Amino acid sequence: MRTLVGLTSSGWTEKARWALDHHRVAYRYQDYVPLIQERWLRKQVAPGVKPSVPLLVDPPQPATHGSFAIAKHAEAVGQGSPLFPAARLDAITAWNDISEHVLDLARAYAMPRMLDNARAQAEMLPKFIPGWLRPVFAPSARLGMRFVVKKHQVADTSPEAIEAAVAPSYDKLRAALGGRPYLLEEGFTYADITTAAMLAPLGPPADRHLPMGPGTREVWTHPGLAARFPDLLAWRDTLYDKHRRT
């Protein structure tokens, strides 16, 4: 069976999972363990390609790398309403570029905070580790986080600088929506999925959609941005309630 390898708290992984679920593509989900699985991950991508998740493994086909490519693959092999109407591909791609930029900034905000949050570290451990052992193994999760920080060259940026860098993209999304339920006139598309994912700094989606521990939620949430964009948070939550099939 095809397997999606990713990080539950990652906006990139969530975009891939949402597209696969929307198109009712059957897959098994596997949490990636940073550092430990890096050698395996390198073997799944072409030479010269930086290995990262999400990654869709579907032998005998080559692995599909990256949330945008996985979403396009889901559209090709799945069913249901299209997420990539041909006439709006340029617009969807442009919104995805904005989402990728904002998610990079969100990671720059969250990862250094994870390194200082023992509860978030314990929550990032593989699910097979029982709850009572998680505090003991939290330092090993911290090693994995340090590896991710180094791999993606995540800079420790102040919350104020993150807010200043992210806010223009959120302002653009607010203006484009103009109070409407979807970004494009065609209705629900990948433009909505990719921009909803970039709103993680306003607070991750509800547990019923994206289970996540309180420590992890805390490190991703930027109070300043959440206070400035409650309308976008409400839009994202409504979108999840209507379209996030789990």
Side-chain angles (χ1 to χ4, degrees), residues 174-194:
R174 173 186 276 165
L177 284 168
R180 295 180 293 110
Y182 306 112
L183 274 168
L184 304 180
E185 61 187 18
E186 286 83 355
F188 181 65
T189 68
Y190 190 75
D192 301 299
I193 290 177
T194 195

Side-chain angles (χ1 to χ4, degrees), residues 119-136:
R119 183 165 58 173
Q121 293 163 23
E123 291 165 0
M124 291 294 289
L125 290 166
K127 290 182 174 57
F128 62 79
I129 297 178
W132 64 275
L133 269 179
R134 286 178 174 268
V136 177

Side-chain angles (χ1 to χ4, degrees), residues 1 16 28 30 34 46 66 79 88 91 98 104 115 131 142 163 167 176 179 204 219 222 224 226 237 239:
M1 186 175 186
R28 179 175 66 93
Q30 178 184 320
Q79 53 188 302
R88 305 309 297 271
I98 293 172
D104 279 335
L115 290 171
R142 195 166 190 267
E163 183 173 349
V219 299
H222 189 297
D237 290 348
L239 196 73

Side-chain angles (χ1 to χ4, degrees), residues 59-101:
Q61 305 172 64
T64 305
H65 175 248
S67 53
F68 194 78
I70 291 171
K72 294 292 294 290
H73 177 73
E75 182 125 318
V77 303
Q79 53 188 302
S81 61
L83 294 176
F84 295 90
R88 305 309 297 271
L89 184 57
D90 287 347
I92 293 170
T93 302
W95 280 114
N96 189 66
D97 289 343
I98 293 172
S99 173
E100 296 288 297
H101 170 66

Side-chain angles (χ1 to χ4, degrees), residues 162-240:
I162 293 291
E163 183 173 349
V166 169
S169 295
Y170 285 3
D171 283 331
K172 183 172 183 177
L173 175 59
R174 173 186 276 165
L177 284 168
R180 295 180 293 110
Y182 306 112
L183 274 168
L184 304 180
E185 61 187 18
E186 286 83 355
F188 181 65
T189 68
Y190 190 75
D192 301 299
I193 290 177
T194 195
T195 52
M198 79 180 190
L199 299 180
L202 305 184
D207 260 346
R208 65 181 177 275
H209 297 303
L210 189 61
M212 198 179 297
T216 306
R217 290 183 174 278
E218 179 184 344
V219 299
W220 278 101
T221 303
H222 189 297
L225 287 168
R228 287 177 65 175
F229 298 97
D231 54 324
L232 293 185
L233 181 60
W235 170 77
R236 194 274 314 274
D237 290 348
T238 299
L239 196 73
Y240 261 79

Side-chain angles (χ1 to χ4, degrees), residues 7 13 16 39 60 88-89 117 146 148 161 188 193 205 211-212:
L7 289 167
T13 296
R39 180 176 295 180
R88 305 309 297 271
L89 184 57
N117 190 312
R146 285 193 176 280
V148 172
F188 181 65
I193 290 177
M212 198 179 297

